[in-house]
Amino acid sequence: AACMAILLTAACSADETIAGFTDPSTIWTLTEIDGTPFAARATLQFPGAERIAGHAPCNRFSGSVTVPYPWFETSPLASTRMACPDLSAEDLFFDTLENMTEAEVSGPVLILRNSDLGREMVFNAAP
């Protein structure tokens, strides 16, 4: 019985990652990287505890986020492997996303940044 109580307690603990601070149905659309408008379409969402998923300009991706908010770090992301004309934008998206270390959610805006590198990604909640 003690083991079952421990399992139930662990399963009920709050998600302290960014996924626990956003609505799982919100789709965040990338608007800019490092102050430059992002012309291709890329989205992300946090569909469940410690989860990240979305669409890069060419491919869908998913992975996990395991550090407590406001910190941000993804596991290695898994993605489909389809080619498209926006592969250079996709490379920029993934390279930047994988270097982000902090998150800030403010209403309909999500900002991911790496202060040490002076990099930033700005997302808006899809209407």
Side-chain angles (χ1 to χ4, degrees):
C3 288
M4 185 163 357
I6 290 170
L7 289 174
L8 289 174
T9 302
C12 294
S13 65
D15 180 5
E16 294 183 10
T17 71
I18 187 170
F21 289 82
T22 63
D23 182 332
S25 66
T26 299
I27 297 173
W28 300 94
T29 301
L30 180 62
T31 58
E32 62 183 63
I33 293 178
D34 300 333
T36 302
F38 191 72
R41 178 160 166 77
T43 65
L44 59 79
Q45 65 186 127
F46 303 96
E50 299 183 1
R51 301 295 306 150
I52 185 172
H55 287 89
C58 301
N59 293 283
R60 291 185 320 270
F61 68 92
S62 64
S64 61
V65 180
T66 57
V67 294
Y69 181 81
W71 307 116
F72 182 85
E73 182 180 322
T74 65
S75 65
L77 299 172
S79 71
T80 55
R81 297 283 180 205
M82 297 179 358
C84 81
D86 288 328
L87 278 177
S88 62
E90 179 157 308
D91 289 344
L92 174 63
F93 172 76
F94 281 129
D95 288 346
T96 308
L97 183 64
E98 290 173 351
N99 280 294
M100 297 295 99
T101 58
E102 305 161 49
E104 177 184 338
V105 178
S106 181
V109 177
L110 165 66
I111 300 171
L112 300 178
R113 67 176 58 93
N114 183 318
S115 297
D116 291 342
L117 298 177
R119 312 264 343 251
E120 185 173 88
M121 302 175 87
V122 178
F123 296 81
N124 287 326

